[in-house]
Amino acid sequence: MGNVRSTGASGAKRGSDTESGETDGKRAYSAPALEKGIEILELFARDPSGLTISEIAQRLERSISEVFRIIIVMERRGWLRKDPANDRYSVSYRVLDVAFRATPAHTLSNVAAPVMHQLSIDTNQSCHLVVRTGAAATVIHRQENAGPVGFGIRLGTVVDMMTSCSGHVLLAFTSPERRAAAIADLPDASQAALRRLEKRLDTVREQGYEMQPSARASGVTDISFPVFGFDGQVSAALTLPFLLTIDGSQRTDLNETRRMLGEAARQISAGLGWLPPREED
């Protein structure tokens, strides 16, 4: 998608694909082809159901010919896939795979995977791992239960920070400075709603976890515990949507499941190098 090459000591510019002038004493570089590709990916994030080339060109206010070239390259590299039934393009899972392997989420998931697998066996419940991504949070790993019936969240699901169990944990256990900055990044909310959120976050931090009825399904209670990194900062939320069954297949009740989830979160934290604070004499 467009290479930027230097020509040696002469440093000759090659149009707008390299330097675009200086701003405040700093060189400003541009790579139009790369920028178009990023714009297209960000556009799909707002419309994951897919778009045709003409729709992409219209929304980005670019010509069909320039969008077409970028789309073909991205499809060839596996970043986009085309639905032959309607000619709509959508983002492939390669994007998630590359992001996963190129970020700390890779190490986090590797440590968490065996613990989450055992937890799902012991409880016959699904669980998932959530990290903060800007003003929202994203599911980066999930473990389905082995039974015939379960309730789980898809990988890559974006979670609301203000209302979700995972979001409350991620906000509650971050430092006061980071929490204030995170709340400031949240979508517009009334001052009353923010006050209620702050009060709830204080409660979550004090009790060490969050537990509330699912906002997605009845009969499900979400439970979430913090996972800490070696630096003592919250790295993720380990969340379990507890599904109450009536066929006698329930292996653990709500309270026992909560205890086991908390222990699993501590195991993952320890695997990341976290040391629990020492109790004062």
Side-chain angles (χ1 to χ4, degrees):
M1 295 203 312
N3 295 322
V4 178
R5 298 183 298 174
S6 96
T7 56
S10 62
K13 296 180 182 179
R14 294 189 179 274
S16 60
D17 281 333
T18 53
E19 300 174 14
S20 59
E22 296 187 3
T23 304
D24 296 331
K26 297 181 179 179
R27 289 180 178 177
Y29 293 89
S30 67
L34 177 60
E35 290 176 354
K36 292 172 191 173
I38 293 174
E39 287 177 354
I40 290 171
L41 288 177
E42 292 177 342
L43 181 62
F44 281 122
R46 298 191 293 271
D47 200 335
S49 61
L51 298 166
T52 64
I53 289 180
S54 60
E55 289 172 335
I56 296 170
Q58 182 179 18
R59 297 191 187 189
L60 294 180
E61 298 182 346
R62 296 185 180 276
S63 69
I64 290 180
S65 61
E66 62 180 328
V67 169
F68 176 80
R69 293 194 296 270
I70 301 298
I71 291 291
I72 294 303
V73 172
M74 295 179 74
E75 182 185 17
R76 186 172 69 239
R77 297 299 296 267
W79 293 85
L80 299 179
R81 60 183 180 86
K82 180 181 179 180
D83 186 342
N86 53 26
D87 290 336
R88 288 183 175 273
Y89 287 87
S90 58
V91 176
S92 74
Y93 277 105
R94 173 171 168 74
V95 177
L96 185 62
D97 176 61
V98 171
F100 172 74
R101 289 187 287 111
T103 62
H106 183 50
T107 299
L108 177 59
S109 293
N110 283 344
V111 173
V115 179
M116 294 172 64
H117 178 69
Q118 188 60 50
L119 176 66
S120 70
I121 293 175
D122 294 340
T123 62
N124 194 29
Q125 302 278 349
S126 301
C127 57
H128 53 273
L129 199 63
V130 181
V131 299
R132 183 186 166 203
T133 49
T138 304
V139 177
I140 63 165
H141 188 77
R142 68 169 185 168
Q143 176 63 58
E144 294 184 354
N145 64 307
V149 178
F151 181 84
I153 302 297
R154 289 182 179 178
L155 190 67
T157 296
V158 176
V159 177
D160 184 88
M161 294 284 281
M162 286 192 66
T163 61
S164 70
C165 211
S166 302
H168 289 176
V169 164
L170 291 171
L171 289 173
F173 290 93
T174 194
S175 66
E177 296 79 12
R178 292 184 179 183
R179 183 202 289 191
I183 290 177
D185 289 339
L186 295 177
D188 293 340
S190 66
Q191 290 300 313
L194 292 177
R195 284 194 296 270
R196 288 194 299 270
L197 176 62
E198 288 279 9
K199 184 177 180 180
R200 184 60 195 171
L201 296 181
D202 290 339
T203 300
V204 171
R205 189 179 184 97
E206 181 178 353
Q207 67 186 13
Y209 63 91
E210 173 66 300
M211 184 168 70
Q212 63 182 22
S214 171
R216 298 175 182 269
S218 60
V220 176
T221 301
D222 290 335
I223 321 169
S224 187
F225 278 81
V227 171
F228 298 100
F230 73 94
D231 57 357
Q233 300 293 328
V234 62
S235 296
L238 179 62
T239 304
L240 185 151
F242 180 86
L243 177 64
L244 182 63
T245 59
I246 59 175
D247 61 355
S249 63
Q250 203 86 49
R251 294 185 183 174
T252 57
D253 62 18
L254 182 62
N255 290 331
E256 178 65 8
T257 301
R258 184 184 65 196
R259 184 195 66 77
M260 296 170 71
L261 180 65
E263 179 58 31
R266 286 187 287 274
Q267 288 183 36
I268 298 171
S269 299
L272 294 173
W274 172 74
L275 295 175
R278 295 182 178 178
E279 295 184 2
E280 297 182 0
D281 294 335

